[in-house]
Structures are given as C-alpha cells and as structure tokens.
Amino acid sequence: IAANEKEEKHFNKQAAEAKKEVDVRLLASYEKIRGNYRNGLAVVPVERDACGGCFNAIPPQKQSEIRQHKKITICENCGRILVDEELANSVALS
C-alpha cells in the first residue's frame, strides 16, 4: 500500500499541475464524464474501428477527424472523448 500511495501522490501532483493549464469548461466536462462511468475512463482510444469505452462502431470519416487532432471528438453513443490509438500508446509509454 505504501508503494501505491507514493505513486498516487506523484500522479495527483501531475494532475494538479495539468489542471492549471486547461480551460475550466473542458475540465468540468472531463470530470463529469469521468464520474459517470464505473471504470473512470473519460478518454478512450479508437480500437479496431470502435470506441474503446462502449465498443460502438466509429464511421471512417469520424476516425479521420480524430487522427487529425484538430478538435475534441466525443463518442455519439457513450459521450467519452475519443483519441487515436497512436496518441493513446505514446501517452501510456511516457
């Protein structure tokens, strides 16, 4: 438990620093989405042409928009924020 507490404090500190740089409206939406689901995932990757949260199919045009990173895209079915698999993997590795 002590090792987990140390990691948790570290990640909470990083989250607090990141929250200072994010728009208040976006942060409120993120927290609302995160609170609505049991697993707490608000940002999910598009895996095998489907949402990583609800597994609903994502149309090819929407997938193309997600890969371009021009705007925040949400799943029409579950409301989670969608990111492409490459971005999800690069963040998971860091």
Side-chain angles (χ1 to χ4, degrees):
I1 295 176
N4 290 341
E5 287 179 21
K6 184 178 177 182
E7 281 185 35
E8 185 177 358
K9 287 180 184 179
H10 172 70
F11 289 128
N12 284 337
K13 183 179 176 183
Q14 282 184 333
E17 291 173 5
K19 285 179 182 180
K20 293 176 186 175
E21 299 178 22
V22 177
D23 183 32
V24 176
R25 293 179 304 129
L26 292 175
L27 187 60
S29 295
Y30 171 80
E31 293 295 336
K32 182 179 178 182
I33 294 168
R34 189 155 184 217
N36 286 340
Y37 298 102
R38 275 184 280 171
N39 61 6
L41 294 177
V43 180
V44 294
V46 174
E47 297 173 337
R48 289 178 265 144
D49 302 334
C51 171
C54 66
F55 308 107
N56 193 31
I58 306 295
Q61 179 63 36
K62 184 90 79 179
Q63 289 179 39
S64 175
E65 292 173 6
I66 293 168
R67 278 189 226 104
Q68 290 175 358
H69 304 285
K70 290 189 177 183
K71 63 180 183 177
I72 296 173
T73 308
I74 62 169
C75 176
E76 295 172 357
N77 189 45
C78 67
R80 291 181 171 116
I81 300 167
L82 298 170
V83 296
D84 63 330
E85 223 172 337
E86 290 179 23
L87 180 63
N89 290 338
S90 68
V91 171
L93 295 175
S94 359

